[in-house]
């Protein structure tokens, strides 16, 4: 597949706070990020720090790398399983030292959104690809008797559960319900339970979806996991909410938003991902295209009580493949080099792309 690289793009910071944080971080911040890589639950297994990475100046808020588009990994037209002509919500996971006889060193989960959706898998040996479509997609469909029969399933987020030695898949279907399934090989999943519904949030909630779950210690709440997700209500403005859990199965949810759309002058925000650095936690999330289409970052602090909106994390370019919108980031490392796999392009009209830090 022929790729047309985007021009290099420098992330512009939208606040003095963000500018100060990034400049003060410098190369020491990049070095700390490499050393801190295991603290980010999304990072792929078996990666070491790179001396070259430490020498690169940090450019994004909070001292994170300045990610630059590299290539497109998957487009709907190249896929055998392509019921709707669209794909969303990538999740990249390393398999080394986790799975027995995996198909590749990295598993890339994704899905169509519109009915019937379907949780899909591609595999490869490098985060920059190439990735091969699993021939028997979808690995989870919109009907799973006797557990559910819904119009669609989508937004796969897979977490490596170290204590269980399993891949735990969180996915939505309908938009009101997030479910959990578990697997020893990352391909064949066993249904577990419903973990999130609109009934668990304030009255008037209409959607609770696009959840990602991360190992994270919150001693005051006796929690070992946190969940980030998108919530919509009767105002039809989407915000980021969160919850915590001792076991990843049974959850308590904050009834107020973690990040509001009004905090960053957006109509809708979604696709949240957790990053950690220097003992603090950060949430990266996307704006709707009409509000700028960029990835934003908010520092929430070690205990999630801080609300420091740091500005633009990744500037979605106007050219292909972003076309003014970047969304649903998933992060990983290979050989000490940080990567971000994300939705590139207008919603339900885009592709899965990768950027390098």
């Amino acid at each position: 597949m022929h790729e047309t690289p985007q021009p290099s793009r420098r992330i512009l910071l939208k606040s003095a706070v963000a500018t100060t944080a990034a400049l003060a971080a410098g190369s020491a911040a990049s070095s700390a990020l490499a050393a801190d890589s295991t603290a980010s639950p999304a990072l792929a297994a078996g990666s070491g720090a790179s001396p070259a990475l430490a020498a690169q100046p940090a450019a994004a808020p909070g001292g994170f790398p300045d990610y630059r588009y590299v290539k497109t990994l998957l487009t709907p037209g190249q896929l055998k399983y392509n019921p709707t002509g669209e794909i969303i919500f990538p999740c990249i996971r390393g398999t080394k030292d986790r799975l027995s006889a995996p198909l590749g060193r990295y598993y890339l989960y994704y899905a169509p959104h519109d009915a019937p959706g379907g949780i899909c898998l591609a595999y490869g040996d490098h985060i920059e690809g190439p990735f091969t479509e699993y021939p028997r997609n979808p690995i989870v469909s919109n009907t799973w008797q006797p557990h559910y029969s819904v119009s669609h399933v989508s937004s796969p987020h897979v977490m490596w559960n170290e204590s269980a030695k399993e891949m735990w898949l969180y996915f939505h279907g309908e938009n009101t319900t997030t479910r959990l399934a578990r697997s020893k090989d990352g391909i064949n999943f066993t249904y577990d339970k419903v973990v999130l519904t609109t009934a668990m949030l304030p009255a008037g909630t209409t959607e609770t979806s696009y959840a990602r779950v991360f190992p994270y210690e919150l001693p005051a709440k006796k929690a070992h996991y946190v969940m980030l997700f998108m919530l919509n209500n009767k105002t039809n403005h989407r915000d980021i909410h969160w919850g915590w859990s001792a076991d990843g199965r049974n959850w308590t949810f904050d009834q107020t938003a973690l990040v509001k759309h009004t905090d960053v002058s957006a109509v809708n925000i979604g696709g949240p991902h957790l990053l950690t650095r220097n003992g603090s936690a950060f949430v990266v999330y996307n704006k709707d295209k009409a509000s700028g289409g960029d990835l934003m970052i908010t520092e929430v602090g070690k205990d999630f009580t801080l609300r420091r909106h740091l500005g633009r994390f990744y500037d979605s370019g106007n050219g292909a493949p972003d076309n003014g919108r970047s969304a649903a980031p998933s992060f990983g490392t290979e050989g000490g080099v940080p990567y971000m796999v994300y939705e590139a392009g207008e919603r339900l009209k885009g592709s899965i792309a990768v950027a390098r830090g």
Side-chain angles (χ1 to χ4, degrees):
M1 158 170 62
H2 177 72
E3 302 297 339
T4 303
Q6 287 184 333
S8 294
R9 298 169 298 183
R10 197 70 174 174
I11 295 177
L12 303 175
L13 305 183
K14 286 192 171 180
S15 68
V17 172
T19 303
T20 303
L23 293 176
S27 60
S30 285
S31 178
L33 175 62
D36 232 17
S37 62
T38 54
S40 177
L43 297 179
S47 298
S50 167
L53 176 63
Q56 296 174 359
F64 291 100
D66 181 0
Y67 288 93
R68 308 295 183 92
Y69 168 81
V70 177
K71 64 188 296 188
T72 298
L73 298 176
L74 295 175
T75 60
Q78 77 187 86
L79 301 172
K80 180 180 178 181
Y81 180 74
N82 179 24
T84 58
E86 45 84 20
I87 50 176
I88 66 166
F89 212 81
C91 180
I92 189 75
R93 283 292 169 266
T95 62
K96 184 181 178 182
D97 301 325
R98 292 174 172 176
L99 306 181
S100 176
L103 299 174
R105 290 176 62 90
Y106 297 94
Y107 279 4
L108 175 57
Y109 298 90
Y110 63 96
H113 179 269
D114 285 353
I119 308 305
C120 296
L121 170 68
Y123 57 90
D125 289 327
H126 301 284
I127 298 180
E128 290 189 24
F131 281 90
T132 300
E133 181 184 8
Y134 182 65
R136 293 189 290 278
N137 280 334
I139 57 175
V140 173
S141 71
N142 63 325
T143 299
W144 194 340
Q145 299 296 349
H147 308 297
Y148 63 76
S149 178
V150 294
S151 72
H152 76 290
V153 292
S154 194
S155 71
H157 176 81
V158 174
M159 177 192 72
W160 172 250
N161 188 304
E162 179 63 28
S163 60
K165 303 295 181 183
E166 293 176 338
M167 292 288 199
W168 283 25
L169 166 66
Y170 298 85
F171 62 103
H172 83 249
E174 309 291 352
N175 291 340
T176 59
T177 305
T178 296
R179 308 170 192 275
L180 169 63
R182 301 162 61 171
S183 173
K184 292 292 187 183
D185 63 7
I187 300 172
N188 300 288
F189 284 85
T190 299
Y191 186 84
D192 191 331
K193 62 178 294 186
V194 169
V195 294
L196 168 64
T197 73
T198 52
M200 299 173 182
L201 278 299
T205 299
T206 58
E207 298 177 47
T208 46
S209 54
Y210 300 97
R212 293 193 189 272
V213 174
F214 308 90
Y216 189 87
E217 295 299 316
L218 286 171
K221 297 183 182 296
K222 299 180 180 179
H224 306 295
Y225 302 91
V226 297
M227 178 190 293
L228 304 176
F229 60 97
M230 183 193 77
L231 181 146
N232 192 15
N233 57 34
K234 291 180 179 180
T235 68
N236 203 29
H237 292 284
R238 293 163 176 85
D239 298 324
I240 305 302
H241 278 245
W242 77 295
W244 55 92
S245 171
D247 60 6
R249 299 179 67 247
N250 301 288
W251 292 85
T252 301
F253 298 104
D254 196 324
Q255 300 298 294
T256 60
L258 182 67
V259 184
K260 299 177 182 178
H261 65 282
T262 53
D263 293 336
V264 292
S265 302
V267 175
N268 295 300
I269 55 176
H273 194 291
L274 182 71
L275 293 178
T276 58
R277 186 178 174 278
N278 289 346
S280 190
F282 301 77
V283 181
V284 178
Y285 50 94
N286 58 266
K287 283 185 172 185
D288 61 286
K289 184 177 179 180
S291 301
D294 298 323
L295 297 179
M296 310 299 288
I297 183 169
T298 294
E299 185 177 5
V300 296
K302 185 176 182 179
D303 60 0
F304 280 59
T305 59
L306 182 65
R307 301 293 183 271
R308 182 176 294 142
H309 306 298
L310 298 180
R312 186 185 295 156
F313 180 83
Y314 182 79
D315 184 1
S316 65
N318 291 326
D322 289 2
N323 296 320
R325 179 182 178 270
S326 304
S330 178
F331 295 85
T333 62
E334 181 179 354
V337 177
Y339 287 95
M340 179 179 73
V341 181
Y342 68 101
E343 274 181 47
E346 294 187 53
R347 177 167 166 76
L348 307 185
K349 297 180 181 179
S351 58
I352 304 302
V354 62
R356 185 192 304 127

